Amino acid sequence: MRVAPGPTLETQRLILRPTAEGDLEGWAGMMGDAEAARFIGGLQPRSSAWRGMASMAGSWSLKGFGMFSVIEKSSGQWLGRIGPWQPEDWPGTEVGWGLTRAAWGQGYAVEAATATIDWAFDQLGWDEVIHCIDPENTPSQKVAERLGSYNKGRGQLPAPFADHVIDIWGQTRDEWRARRR
């Protein structure tokens, strides 16, 4: 199986690794589920999901980071993608998340985001992390709060998402480290 270049991180229950060609079934399933895809780009056919997945793999090659594929250690199942993301004209250095519905409510988002925020601050040298969250996405707001982030106000995404209303949640590296002590 081909995997984009980058590190593999492990948490108690998860393996976080760059995008792999074999992730397509999980990725297409998540993006083909209207509820799971609602706040992460919307419902997409398999061909569009492949392009999104390839874009993430390309970010690893071009920028040295991208969202990690989240793999459950006990089953080997692909659960979603979480981690650093900053495409052209993005409003900041984001750690974002998107999980399959089967993975919701189990603490995976906080567990994986914690590991990837540590990695972004330690390895990428970021000074701040943000999370672009739709004001109606209460579950993601709760994840952000559990991570210690707070709502910094309205933000703007670049085209083709410029018409999406988002709030920018986030915190600085110093705030993150003070909270983790």
Side-chain angles (χ1 to χ4, degrees), residues 7 9 16 60 64-68 82-86 92-96 112-131 171-173 176-177:
L9 310 178
L16 309 172
W60 278 103
F65 65 86
M67 288 192 192
F68 291 89
I82 294 177
W85 184 236
Q86 191 185 24
T93 47
E94 180 168 24
V95 168
T114 298
T116 62
I117 290 170
D118 280 341
W119 186 79
F121 285 143
D122 295 343
Q123 300 302 312
L124 301 177
W126 287 3
D127 294 321
E128 177 183 43
V129 294
I130 66 162
H131 323 291
Q171 62 187 296
T172 66
R173 178 176 40 217
W176 175 255
R177 289 191 172 145

Side-chain angles (χ1 to χ4, degrees), residues 13-14 70 82 95-99 103 105-116 139-140 143 146-147:
R13 302 178 295 162
L14 305 170
V70 180
I82 294 177
V95 168
W97 47 83
L99 294 172
Q106 299 179 54
Y108 292 135
V110 171
E111 184 175 333
T114 298
T116 62
S140 277
V143 169
R146 288 184 62 198
L147 293 168

Side-chain angles (χ1 to χ4, degrees), residues 69-94:
S69 281
V70 180
I71 311 299
E72 185 179 49
K73 281 183 181 179
S74 64
S75 69
Q77 182 178 6
W78 188 91
L79 301 177
R81 81 289 187 281
I82 294 177
W85 184 236
Q86 191 185 24
E88 186 71 18
D89 295 328
W90 212 246
T93 47
E94 180 168 24

Side-chain angles (χ1 to χ4, degrees), residues 24-46 48-50 52-53 78 81 98-100:
L24 180 57
E25 289 306 316
W27 197 294
M30 181 177 71
M31 297 312 295
D33 176 340
E35 187 63 22
R38 178 177 174 200
F39 297 116
I40 56 172
L43 190 63
Q44 297 175 3
R46 183 180 177 91
S48 294
W50 184 90
M53 185 185 82
W78 188 91
R81 81 289 187 281
L99 294 172
T100 62

